[in-house]
Amino acid sequence: MSRQPVVIIGSGLAGYTVAREFRKLDAETSIQIISADHGGFYSKPMLSNALATGKTPLSILNANAEKMAEQLKMTIRSHSRVTAIDPSSKSVTLPEGEKLPYSQLILALGADPIRLPLQGDGVDAILSVNDLDDYHQLCTALRGKKDVTILGAGLIGCEFANDLAVAGYRVRVIDISARPLGRLLPQAGGTFMQHRLEAIGITFHLGTATQCVERIHESLRLTLDNGEIIQTDVLLSAIGLRPRIALAEAAGIKVNRGIVVSRSLQTRYADIYALGDCAEVEGRVLPFVMPIMHAARGLAATLARTPTLVRYPAMPVVVKTPACATVVSPPDPDARGEWRIEESENGVKALFQSADGKLLGYALLGTATREKNLLATQLPAVME
């Protein structure tokens, strides 16, 4: 009796990497990817530093759905959404009520941009970039414009700010935090990052929040909670992502911040798994490339009937801000220790150490990034 297909919902890095790794281990089992968009494969992290190098949406696309289906010998159903999951019958429901059976189901649903509850008739003009179609919309909106404002001074906000400034736009960044990358960097690191980005023309409005966005002819007028008024051509929101959990929750799958899974990436149902931006692995949501790659390799082995626990080594994050080279390996939120800072004109070396001197995390900026490889070997694994 032939095996029912392995069904993957989502065609981002997580979904495609699982398919690719599984195909290395099993050349015969049918794989079906269900994609809400075009289903093509591309590097999503590239979207936040593509404008300065003139990359078009088409040039970012590595392969369309047809080519990916041919390469991996699988079926890709693009522009199709799963409307329901039925764990009891091991099937998913597609538009028009079609039922698709699965032997194993992988949820690689990704995450949605968080939207601020703002007032004003210009709210619907706020852009966010979470996929290639969004990037195309941003490129279209930027034509003939010069002034861009970004909501959010986190990792993605700073990456877009750097990219837009180098591409020749006047860039402002608004954030309620006192400094950029407030969740990733200690104070000295955030200050250093701010100064380096200001040096290429970026203006920061920190310790304040946007309250209202209004349309003024072809521009947008922002009112901040400190009373300041800003007029801008394009408004980009980059304040974070929220895992997509609604589909799983409706199917009775346990959710918290993300879809709750074990170290084998298994949900409470034996044949349903989740990974990537939508998954919460033993309390951790890890929306970065390296965790996805490690998770996909482990899950592929499990799907090929070699049960495998996912192990995450130390996984430093490279922030794509050329004006301020930055590598961060944030300590575990529950880690006990303190930051030890070394500052110079050209860099900041911040080590988060326990009371007995054990390295638990670091933030390296500027010339201090030269030490990233040496320090990475001293870091504990995220998950053994």
Side-chain angles (χ1 to χ4, degrees), residues 67-197:
K67 187 172 182 180
M68 293 302 297
E70 181 182 356
Q71 284 179 1
L72 297 176
K73 297 180 175 57
M74 63 182 181
T75 300
I76 300 173
R77 302 178 66 141
S78 56
H79 301 292
S80 184
R81 289 186 180 273
V82 171
T83 58
I85 300 168
D86 185 351
S88 61
S89 67
K90 295 183 66 171
S91 66
V92 298
T93 303
L94 301 177
E96 283 79 53
E98 179 188 354
K99 300 282 188 178
L100 175 66
Y102 61 80
S103 61
Q104 291 153 310
L105 178 66
I106 294 88
L107 307 179
L109 302 169
D112 289 314
I114 295 172
R115 306 290 292 189
L116 292 171
L118 302 177
Q119 299 177 338
D121 61 2
V123 170
D124 60 352
I126 301 174
L127 303 177
S128 59
V129 177
N130 194 37
D131 56 35
L132 195 57
D133 291 338
D134 291 342
Y135 179 73
H136 180 270
Q137 187 177 11
L138 175 63
C139 291
T140 301
L142 288 170
R143 289 175 190 159
K145 305 295 176 59
K146 276 295 177 186
D147 197 286
V148 183
T149 298
I150 299 173
L151 304 179
L155 187 146
I156 299 301
C158 286
E159 289 184 350
F160 267 112
N162 194 145
D163 197 46
L164 286 158
V166 174
Y169 296 92
R170 293 188 298 270
V171 181
R172 299 182 186 87
V173 180
I174 302 169
D175 199 294
I176 197 169
S177 297
R179 55 188 180 275
L181 272 73
R183 293 184 179 180
L184 284 178
L185 301 178
Q187 182 175 345
T191 300
F192 186 85
M193 168 72 77
Q194 181 178 343
H195 291 164
R196 286 299 178 96
L197 293 181

Side-chain angles (χ1 to χ4, degrees), residues 16 147 214 235 273 374:
Y16 268 128
D147 197 286
E214 300 169 289
L235 182 57
Y273 303 83
L374 175 63

Side-chain angles (χ1 to χ4, degrees), residues 189-209:
T191 300
F192 186 85
M193 168 72 77
Q194 181 178 343
H195 291 164
R196 286 299 178 96
L197 293 181
E198 287 173 339
I200 63 169
I202 297 168
T203 301
F204 285 92
H205 300 262
L206 300 171
T208 187

Side-chain angles (χ1 to χ4, degrees), residues 243-258:
R244 292 176 179 144
I245 61 175
L247 184 65
E249 187 173 23
I253 297 168
K254 185 178 180 181
V255 299
N256 187 31
R257 287 188 301 145

Side-chain angles (χ1 to χ4, degrees), residues 261-321:
V261 295
S262 66
R263 284 278 300 279
S264 61
L265 305 182
Q266 187 180 63
T267 67
R268 62 183 289 247
Y269 294 103
D271 296 309
I272 302 179
Y273 303 83
L275 82 162
D277 291 4
C278 70
E280 181 178 326
V281 187
E282 291 197 342
R284 290 179 172 88
V285 177
L286 301 169
F288 299 107
V289 172
M290 288 308 297
I292 290 174
M293 303 301 286
H294 285 283
R297 283 192 284 269
L299 179 54
T302 296
L303 298 175
R305 301 198 167 108
T306 303
T308 302
L309 298 181
V310 174
R311 290 177 171 82
Y312 296 116
M315 297 174 291
V317 177
V318 177
V319 184
K320 299 188 297 296
T321 46

